[in-house]
Amino acid sequence: MSSAPPAAPVPARHAPADDDPDELRGLTVVPARYYGRWLAGGVVLVLVAQFLHGLATNPGWDWPTFFDYLLAESVLKAVWLTLQLTFYGTALGFTLGVLLAMMRLSSSPVPRAVAWAYIWAFRSIPLIVQLLFWFNLAYLYQELGFGIPFGPVFWTFETMHLVGPITAAVIGLALHQAAYAAEIVRGGIISVDSGQREAAAALGLPKLRQLRRIVLPQAMRGILPNAANEIISLFKGTSIVSVMALGELFYQVQVIYGRNGRVVPLLMVATVWYIVLTTVLTVVQHSVERRFARGAERQPEPGPLDQLRTRLRGLAQSRSSARALHQSPVPPGLPPEPLTDTARTDATATHATATHATATDTTATDVRGPRKGEAR
Amino acid sequence: MSGGRRPMVEVRGVRKSFGDVEVLHGVDLDVHAGEVATILGPSGSGKSTLLRTINHLERPDAGIVRVDGELMGYRRVGDRLHELKERAVLRQRARIGFVFQNFHLFPHLTAVENVAEAPVGALRRPRAEARREAAALLARVGLGDRLDAYPRQLSGGQQQRVAIARALGLSPRVLLFDEPTSALDPELVGEVLTTIRDLALGGTTMIVVTHEVGFAREIADTVVFMDRGHVVEQGPPAEVLDRPDHPRTRAFLAQVR
């Protein structure tokens, strides 16, 4: 059969003309079968299974050592420092970034040029080089003073005391981050429809309020996904700070495997922590994005928990449905995301007449049913 | 508000160019308090630009605009005009309502928040009071039951009525409408025109740029016909619309009818 037969009472194009349309309407629908797709799915599943099997059985992973160190005090301390570096780097970086973005959008040429030059410079210097500069600041300037430019100095500080390694790392990360944050914020602001600012101006709203109440909340929708990217990459980027012998996660793990030689399980300790914390950030990102989507959709998009609930309900329905076609229930271990677009379309098409469940309800089960059958 | 016979809006010799193209060639216009003026004319005739120079969204290259005796965008010192800073211009604008063709409602704020935004932000009114008044204004435009709807949950006609309520929130001396029904589906035009008609009957001073000739005839005290940056003709609707002097006016009216 070249295509799936239509579900509605419209007769199939290649059906003989003398078929009774009322009779056609009552016929059973046989869904199209995509053997190539099943085969590919099966191959992928075998490869994944092989990989998981290796993880579990290869003694090289040394899981006992991994579990010894995963929650060790030194590792937890290092995780905490990593989080602090990320937090201060993000907070300072984005504060400075917003300022730089405003300067770049200013109607006065001096701030515009200064912000442009800053972004140009800090995007050009590799983070690791910049960090080493900050680390060696005391070599360049032994003392830092506070006073009138080119005039008398009121207070002086020993640079070594003022800029310790942690401060140097935070400064380096924040200055680097600010250059990228500035461009992200600027991108968000210029993406807001110019009519919005015009309407705010026509209402006589003061400049700052136009920005705070009208432009920024709308710009946030564009800023957030990119900002989350930056925060996550900064979080993992803190591992670069290990060049400064700061006891963050990656450095700490290196110290431990330098002592006991168990390289792989300790790298896994770091990996698992990075994955877990990135996942937390991703969840936070999602809920913040939803907050700023106010008014953007006619119907607010369901959150991850709502989606899961909907899917589970769809699953329960298709299980109880006697007419469910060629599908076995989703194994509990599989992730709830739907697969590719083509798979989705196919699933809804074959399902059009089968149950009363909505397309989204049943997508996950339909797509996976045949794959699992093939893998058996 | 305005004393004696001085018009509410006075436009004198306003010129405006965009690049090499001059869109307004020295326009004069008077609108008295409580009067409704409609501006008609083919597209590209400078109607919208004229409207935007009145609240200084466009700065005229030459000429002046006065609203209720207040010179827009300038301060006279001796025989010189000093340009006002943006903050002062914004303060002047807060007394002029502007309704856009494409509504330009704030999509992240509900209807009542849209209306209350300027009274709170520009006129420094207490928030609770501004919200109460916003709700009353929305009821006045027939949307008392959609206070907490976001603009995207409203039809085009409802959005434009929220925009009108938003402009009214500033208790403006003048209301300016820039083709308020041009972006609407035909069946939604009526509800917006009804709202504007009610305001006209209530004695609000208004300048309406429109393509709706029938509507202009009904509500206008003065019809202004513009073509290629000039005011070609102005007067009561019975004169300009029924016995136009100028061939351009006649040609335009023949087309839109």
Side-chain angles (χ1 to χ4, degrees):
Chain A
M1 202 185 286
S2 62
S3 65
V10 186
R13 213 184 314 157
H14 50 270
D18 52 358
D19 268 359
D20 175 13
D22 285 327
E23 188 211 338
L24 282 175
R25 201 180 65 177
L27 297 182
T28 313
V29 174
V30 180
R33 293 191 181 123
Y34 297 87
Y35 296 106
R37 205 178 280 171
W38 294 6
L39 188 69
V43 169
V44 171
L45 279 187
V46 167
L47 290 176
V48 169
Q50 222 179 351
F51 174 70
L52 293 176
H53 180 257
L55 271 187
T57 55
N58 187 334
W61 292 106
D62 195 358
W63 293 110
T65 310
F66 167 84
F67 286 112
D68 280 348
Y69 282 101
L70 184 64
L71 298 171
E73 202 196 334
S74 60
V75 170
L76 290 182
K77 263 190 191 156
V79 168
W80 178 238
L81 181 62
T82 295
L83 284 175
Q84 280 179 304
L85 288 173
T86 309
F87 176 78
Y88 291 116
T90 304
L92 291 175
F94 272 83
T95 308
L96 185 57
V98 170
L99 195 72
L100 284 165
M102 296 304 144
M103 286 168 71
R104 276 215 68 184
L105 294 167
S106 157
S107 38
S108 163
V110 176
R112 228 167 36 216
V114 169
W116 183 89
Y118 178 95
I119 291 165
W120 166 76
F122 279 84
R123 287 203 304 192
S124 310
I125 308 169
L127 178 56
I128 193 164
V129 175
Q130 208 218 120
L131 284 169
L132 289 172
F133 267 119
W134 284 104
F135 197 51
N136 291 303
L137 187 69
Y139 161 80
L140 280 171
Y141 304 97
Q142 278 88 18
E143 286 190 337
L144 293 177
F146 182 82
I148 295 169
F150 305 106
V153 176
F154 303 135
W155 292 286
T156 58
F157 309 93
E158 292 264 331
T159 307
M160 287 282 264
H161 297 165
L162 193 66
V163 186
I166 294 186
T167 316
V170 167
I171 293 176
L173 290 171
L175 293 184
H176 176 80
Q177 199 53 53
Y180 291 91
E183 287 296 270
I184 290 172
V185 172
R186 188 175 69 97
I189 289 176
I190 59 181
S191 73
V192 175
D193 175 25
S194 62
Q196 290 291 310
R197 214 166 315 179
E198 193 161 66
L203 287 168
L205 292 178
K207 268 297 238 217
L208 203 65
R209 194 178 169 98
Q210 288 183 24
L211 192 71
R212 215 187 65 235
R213 287 276 298 173
I214 308 301
V215 178
L216 277 183
Q218 297 184 59
M220 283 308 274
R221 294 206 73 207
I223 291 173
L224 280 172
N226 294 320
N229 255 354
E230 282 299 310
I231 295 170
I232 286 170
S233 89
L234 175 68
F235 166 63
K236 290 176 298 174
T238 52
S239 55
I240 279 188
V241 173
S242 61
V243 299
M244 297 160 82
L246 258 184
E248 51 72 54
L249 182 55
F250 185 55
Y251 182 79
Q252 191 56 44
V253 162
Q254 281 179 306
V255 166
I256 298 172
Y257 71 59
R259 216 164 44 215
N260 67 9
R262 309 274 174 90
V263 177
V264 170
L266 280 155
L267 285 179
M268 276 309 277
V269 168
T271 306
V272 166
W273 273 112
Y274 283 123
I275 289 177
V276 166
L277 294 171
T278 303
T279 309
V280 172
L281 285 175
T282 309
V283 172
V284 172
Q285 171 192 0
H286 189 89
S287 58
V288 176
E289 273 180 26
R290 251 161 58 88
R291 210 186 96 65
F292 279 96
R294 276 192 312 160
E297 315 283 343
R298 281 179 185 223
Q299 290 197 325
E301 191 198 328
L305 283 180
D306 300 330
Q307 284 174 16
L308 192 67
R309 215 171 294 134
T310 315
R311 291 228 170 87
L312 288 176
R313 204 175 305 134
L315 177 65
Q317 270 174 9
S318 56
R319 226 182 221 157
S320 62
S321 164
R323 282 200 282 168
L325 305 165
H326 303 275
Q327 59 186 5
S328 48
V330 177
L334 279 182
E337 275 85 21
L339 297 177
T340 62
D341 279 335
T342 44
R344 204 178 302 156
T345 326
D346 173 41
T348 46
T350 56
H351 221 327
T353 54
T355 70
H356 293 297
T358 65
T360 36
D361 276 346
T362 50
T363 301
T365 41
D366 282 335
V367 173
R368 287 196 183 94
R371 280 168 123 239
K372 197 184 175 217
E374 182 70 12
R376 250 184 240 133
Chain B
M1 264 191 282
S2 76
R5 309 269 329 124
R6 189 169 63 196
M8 178 62 90
V9 177
E10 302 158 281
V11 177
R12 289 288 178 283
V14 163
R15 294 178 175 277
K16 179 73 188 176
S17 304
F18 294 115
D20 297 335
V21 187
E22 193 173 51
V23 272
L24 295 177
H25 303 274
V27 172
D28 296 338
L29 180 70
D30 280 348
V31 180
H32 287 87
E35 205 178 56
V36 176
T38 58
I39 307 181
L40 295 176
S43 45
S45 58
K47 312 182 293 286
S48 292
T49 309
L50 173 62
L51 204 66
R52 292 160 60 87
T53 55
I54 292 176
N55 74 345
H56 226 71
L57 275 180
E58 304 287 354
R59 183 177 164 277
D61 299 332
I64 58 104
V65 175
R66 274 205 307 198
V67 175
D68 200 12
E70 195 174 340
L71 187 58
M72 292 299 295
Y74 303 98
R75 186 165 46 93
R76 183 176 175 169
V77 180
D79 52 2
R80 283 166 188 262
L81 293 182
H82 289 251
E83 209 178 333
L84 291 178
K85 288 190 183 160
E86 193 169 352
R87 181 192 295 258
V89 176
L90 286 168
R91 216 173 290 137
Q92 289 185 325
R93 272 196 209 122
R95 287 299 184 178
I96 300 173
F98 199 102
V99 176
F100 294 89
Q101 182 178 351
N102 293 313
F103 332 136
H104 292 332
L105 289 180
F106 305 130
H108 60 299
L109 301 179
T110 60
V112 73
E113 287 167 345
N114 262 281
V115 180
E117 178 61 22
V120 173
L123 305 181
R124 311 226 149 268
R125 306 285 296 279
R127 182 167 294 275
E129 191 187 314
R131 267 187 86 93
R132 237 185 349 263
E133 281 164 24
L137 282 171
L138 284 169
R140 191 168 152 197
V141 298
L143 292 170
D145 54 340
R146 303 307 308 273
L147 299 186
D148 296 318
Y150 286 100
R152 264 183 208 130
Q153 298 164 332
L154 299 172
S155 74
Q158 291 173 327
Q159 289 188 49
Q160 191 60 299
R161 285 188 280 151
V162 174
I164 292 172
R166 182 173 72 171
L168 288 171
L170 295 160
S171 329
R173 297 174 241 198
V174 191
L175 264 184
L176 309 176
F177 292 87
D178 188 4
E179 303 195 20
T181 58
S182 298
L184 295 176
D185 291 337
E187 78 269 24
L188 302 177
V189 168
E191 59 186 81
V192 172
L193 293 186
T194 306
T195 305
I196 301 175
R197 189 181 296 120
D198 291 344
L199 291 173
L201 294 174
T204 313
T205 312
M206 303 199 286
I207 304 179
V208 187
V209 169
T210 183
H211 287 300
E212 310 272 339
V213 176
F215 178 66
R217 180 199 312 277
E218 187 190 339
I219 64 160
D221 300 300
T222 313
V223 173
V224 180
F225 182 76
M226 286 187 70
D227 187 37
R228 292 178 208 154
H230 295 279
V231 172
V232 175
E233 212 167 331
Q234 62 177 309
E239 275 174 31
V240 177
L241 296 177
D242 297 333
R243 294 184 301 279
D245 291 333
H246 201 279
R248 279 297 304 163
T249 319
R250 256 171 282 170
F252 175 78
L253 290 174
Q255 262 177 3
V256 293
R257 245 166 218 155

